[in-house]
Amino acid sequence: MEGVRGRTMETIKEKKKQTPSTTGLKISGAEAIIHCLLAEGVDLIYGYPGGAIMPVYDELYKFQDKLTHILTRHEQGATHAAQGYARVSGRVGVAIATSGPGATNLVTGLADAQIDSTPMVCITGQVGSHLLGSDAFQETDIVGISTPVTKWNYQITKASEIPTILAKAFYIARSGRPGPVLIDITKDAQFDTFEFSYEKCTGVRSYNPVPKPDISKIEAAAELINCAKKPFIVYGQGVILGQAEKELKTLVEKAGIPAAWTILGLSAMDTDHPLNVGMVGMHGNYGPNVLTNECDLLIAIGMRFDDRVTGSLDTYAKQAKVIHFEIDPAEVNKNVKADVTVLGNAKETLQLLLPKIKENSHEAWHNEFKKKYEIEFNEVIKEELNPTKDGLTMAEVIKEINIASNNSAIIVTDVGQHQMVACRYAKFNQTKSNVTSGGLGTMGFALPAAIGAKMGAMDREVVAIIGDGGYQMTIQELGVIFQHNLAVKIVVLNNDHLGMVRQWQELFFESRYASTVMVNPDFVKIAEGYHIEAKRVSERKDLKTTVQEMMASKKPYFLEVKVEKEDNVFPMIPTGASVSDIRLK
């Protein structure tokens, strides 16, 4: 086993050797798939083999010196790992699976990537083309199933289609607003031979991934910004995807505008920047939420006005003019009507905007955010970070991780209370540091996504923050961490409940805790079964030293922290309520 463990990550960087040209040679469809992946710069894929994809796996065996395949323990794990890799590396993640259940097990990851704009290409095997529609063994219409949750999909039935379709797949996945693409390939197309040639795709008819900026719209936006007395920026993941972090910071500092992040925008700016005022949304900070309904200009950059951000649309920012910087025209005026829409890549549009912006400070307006923060600090934050009660809080665990990592770790979160606490209290000083399931809210996301994040940024510490419920949905991916000796730090915040559901039951269902109590296994023993160093902390006196030990380790490390069972996450905007009605307790 030691011959396998530790081998992968040492050799991935060595696999970018020049592949001999196969242009003009007659090769099989399966071999063509490998050459297409290599031509797109792919050196790492996640997957699970099976009958209908066997020809491709046979070729992967032959190309081990150039292309690393990571055998996940479930196909869903492959998609989340590919997502984590894509989110931190900026490259297209790749996952591969067989037909039938292998393909359907990809659907959750596809849906997650679609709503969170993650570039991913999934390749599935399919039964032979002569069997299509016959209910053959492990035949499933994955193209029909995945159509609502992919940016594009296609079924290949002829080997000669492979180069053109895969080139198009990678182009569509990474261009404009990124997203997942699924390519289904029949088994006979994998076996058949054809004369191979490959040309990267640079455009698709009728597909305009990046709208050309309208200068008149940029001038109108600049005029509103320069005249505003209480401007407020809310930025999302579009800033990160567009590589516009520098431009955002320059705008914020030049115009003196307070800025808040959405859950996926987190880490686009340093969390400790004095003009970065916190998180908006259901469990966001008090000031950014309340003052959304007091600003005179709301500037949305690379965000889509999700319902968890806006609360009731009937009362959301009705007093304000709205500027929406957005790459996807489908998101404009979908939820919130914009007075000025600036279409295009955020980096390009902000670069055009900046020379037209006057310097400003808005000190009185900033003081309003400071006052609201003091209220939230006294009512919520102080007790969460420095609790007076005996039980450990989730927030103090995040605080210790911040300290031990010097705010430089990649934090990968699952879904639930721990996710909201981490997004509220994690500190970041680098972009692409927050990896979470935002729009779909997929429990089980974090562990495999942390695997991909680590492989996408081997020089950085990766910490997975997971609840005891979500952890058990993909716990089998510990096998990947063990097999490849990935120095992922896994922190399970264990309250023996499905915490977020329990909180809603307490607040809105008269404390009827239906099916939310968890009877959990011994998580430490399970981790040790995978030969991963593991510890459990239940007392405050042991927390700091154990977290420091974990962060100092150069190997995989599992830490279970027993936290308060009924520790609710506040502030909170009740479903359907206004952002002004945010509750502090």
Side-chain angles (χ1 to χ4, degrees):
M1 177 59 73
E2 286 300 322
V4 176
R5 290 188 69 231
R7 180 183 68 186
T8 301
M9 298 321 298
E10 293 298 322
T11 57
I12 282 178
K13 293 180 180 179
E14 300 174 5
K15 295 191 176 185
K16 294 185 178 180
K17 302 170 184 176
Q18 185 67 38
T19 304
S21 174
T22 55
T23 299
L25 296 180
K26 201 168 185 179
I27 62 175
S28 71
E31 184 178 351
I33 292 167
I34 304 302
H35 286 289
C36 292
L37 293 174
L38 293 172
E40 290 292 340
V42 175
D43 55 14
L44 177 66
I45 62 177
Y46 302 91
Y48 207 96
I53 198 69
M54 200 74 72
V56 174
Y57 271 86
D58 189 53
E59 293 300 330
L60 278 171
Y61 181 84
K62 301 172 187 175
F63 283 85
Q64 292 179 72
D65 62 329
K66 296 181 177 65
L67 188 58
T68 295
H69 175 270
I70 302 299
L71 175 64
T72 57
R73 277 27 178 190
H74 191 284
E75 292 89 351
Q76 181 181 346
T79 57
H80 294 329
Q83 286 178 271
Y85 174 82
R87 292 272 285 273
V88 303
S89 71
R91 303 172 68 186
V92 177
V94 179
I96 186 170
T98 193
S99 63
T104 58
N105 282 342
L106 301 177
V107 172
T108 297
L110 287 166
D112 197 288
Q114 172 79 337
I115 201 165
D116 282 355
S117 305
T118 304
M120 181 166 68
V121 170
C122 290
I123 297 172
T124 53
Q126 184 56 275
V127 300
S129 56
H130 67 289
L131 293 173
L132 291 174
S134 69
D135 292 332
F137 177 67
Q138 290 193 333
E139 181 196 0
T140 298
D141 179 11
I142 192 60
V143 171
I145 290 170
S146 66
T147 294
V149 294
T150 52
K151 191 176 177 183
W152 182 61
N153 64 16
Y154 188 89
Q155 184 177 77
I156 293 176
T157 57
K158 296 179 180 179
S160 58
E161 294 182 291
I162 288 171
T164 302
I165 296 303
L166 283 183
K168 187 176 177 181
F170 277 89
Y171 173 73
I172 291 174
R174 68 164 65 97
S175 59
R177 180 180 178 179
V181 171
L182 181 135
I183 304 301
D184 192 43
I185 309 177
T186 60
K187 196 167 184 179
D188 51 320
Q190 298 172 48
F191 277 122
D192 289 346
T193 59
F194 71 107
E195 193 173 287
F196 178 81
S197 65
Y198 192 81
E199 184 177 343
K200 284 193 176 185
C201 181
T202 57
V204 177
R205 189 176 64 180
S206 78
Y207 170 54
N208 181 25
V210 184
K212 184 178 180 181
D214 184 335
I215 297 300
S216 68
K217 299 290 188 180
I218 290 171
E219 290 172 345
E223 184 176 356
L224 285 177
I225 293 170
N226 290 333
C227 293
K229 302 299 182 186
K230 296 182 177 182
F232 179 39
I233 290 173
V234 178
Y235 61 89
Q237 190 183 203
V239 173
I240 297 171
L241 294 173
Q243 301 179 27
E245 295 94 340
K246 179 182 177 182
E247 288 74 15
L248 171 66
K249 182 181 177 184
T250 302
L251 172 62
V252 167
E253 292 177 344
K254 184 176 182 180
I257 303 175
W261 63 79
T262 68
I263 189 173
L264 292 179
L266 177 56
S267 84
M269 278 182 65
D270 288 4
T271 45
D272 284 338
H273 191 288
L275 297 180
N276 214 4
V277 295
M279 184 170 75
V280 293
M282 179 172 280
H283 291 287
N285 294 101
Y286 183 59
N289 277 301
V290 170
L291 294 176
T292 295
N293 281 358
E294 295 182 25
C295 68
D296 62 3
L297 178 64
L298 179 60
I299 307 160
I301 306 176
M303 55 87 76
R304 58 187 180 86
F305 290 112
D306 175 76
D307 63 290
R308 288 297 172 100
V309 167
T310 65
S312 171
L313 288 170
D314 292 337
T315 59
Y316 184 78
K318 292 300 182 182
Q319 80 294 337
K321 295 285 188 181
V322 177
I323 303 172
H324 195 175
F325 289 83
E326 176 59 48
I327 198 170
D328 185 358
E331 295 296 345
V332 174
N333 297 325
K334 185 174 80 173
N335 296 323
V336 173
K337 189 179 185 308
D339 295 276
V340 176
T341 298
V342 182
L343 291 174
N345 176 283
K347 187 178 188 71
E348 182 181 3
T349 54
L350 291 181
Q351 285 177 342
L352 292 170
L353 175 75
L354 284 169
K356 305 178 188 301
I357 297 300
K358 297 177 182 177
E359 292 190 10
N360 212 326
S361 61
H362 299 293
E363 289 185 16
W365 178 228
H366 280 288
N367 286 334
E368 293 299 313
F369 285 89
K370 292 176 182 178
K371 291 175 184 177
K372 294 293 190 292
Y373 177 79
E374 288 300 318
I375 294 171
E376 182 182 353
F377 182 83
N378 290 323
E379 291 286 331
V380 179
I381 298 172
K382 181 167 64 174
E383 178 62 23
E384 288 194 340
L385 290 179
N386 300 288
T388 55
K389 56 189 175 183
D390 291 336
L392 288 167
T393 68
M394 296 184 185
E396 63 182 317
V397 179
I398 303 302
K399 181 182 76 172
E400 294 301 337
I401 292 171
N402 290 336
I403 294 169
S405 67
N406 197 28
N407 301 346
S408 63
I410 294 171
I411 304 292
V412 185
T413 50
D414 213 78
V415 171
Q417 287 182 316
H418 68 278
Q419 176 192 33
M420 295 296 102
V421 171
C423 290
R424 282 175 51 77
Y425 292 108
K427 300 288 186 180
F428 298 113
N429 55 30
Q430 296 181 58
T431 189
K432 296 179 182 174
S433 294
N434 173 55
V435 180
T436 194
S437 173
L440 195 64
T442 304
M443 292 179 69
F445 172 86
L447 187 61
I451 291 169
K454 184 63 178 177
M455 291 182 168
M458 284 298 293
D459 58 335
R460 299 188 61 188
E461 289 288 354
V462 174
V463 183
I465 309 292
I466 318 177
D468 50 307
Y471 182 56
Q472 294 177 82
M473 289 190 172
T474 51
I475 194 171
Q476 69 277 358
E477 302 306 334
L478 288 173
V480 178
I481 292 172
F482 161 59
Q483 180 174 346
H484 299 293
N485 198 28
L486 294 171
V488 174
K489 312 303 167 58
I490 307 156
V491 179
V492 169
L493 302 180
N494 184 4
N495 59 9
D496 294 312
H497 280 80
L498 298 177
M500 187 60 81
V501 181
R502 188 214 56 77
Q503 176 170 335
W504 280 52
Q505 289 171 335
E506 176 187 337
L507 297 177
F508 308 118
F509 294 88
E510 300 176 343
S511 297
R512 292 187 294 274
Y513 299 142
S515 302
T516 46
V517 177
M518 300 287 289
V519 179
N520 289 316
D522 188 327
F523 291 127
V524 170
K525 285 185 177 179
I526 290 173
E528 290 175 343
Y530 284 97
H531 302 278
I532 295 171
E533 185 174 1
K535 287 194 175 179
R536 180 183 295 112
V537 168
S538 57
E539 296 184 27
R540 187 164 291 114
K541 64 182 179 62
D542 301 319
L543 180 62
K544 181 183 285 289
T545 54
T546 308
V547 169
Q548 289 175 340
E549 176 185 294
M550 175 184 74
M551 296 307 297
S553 175
K554 303 300 181 184
K555 297 180 179 180
Y557 196 110
F558 173 84
L559 173 61
E560 177 188 3
V561 183
K562 299 287 286 186
V563 295
E564 283 284 308
K565 290 185 178 181
E566 297 189 357
D567 191 11
N568 290 336
V569 182
F570 286 104
M572 179 180 184
I573 304 169
T575 301
S578 167
V579 292
S580 299
D581 297 329
I582 188 169
R583 295 171 53 173
L584 290 169
K585 57 185 177 181

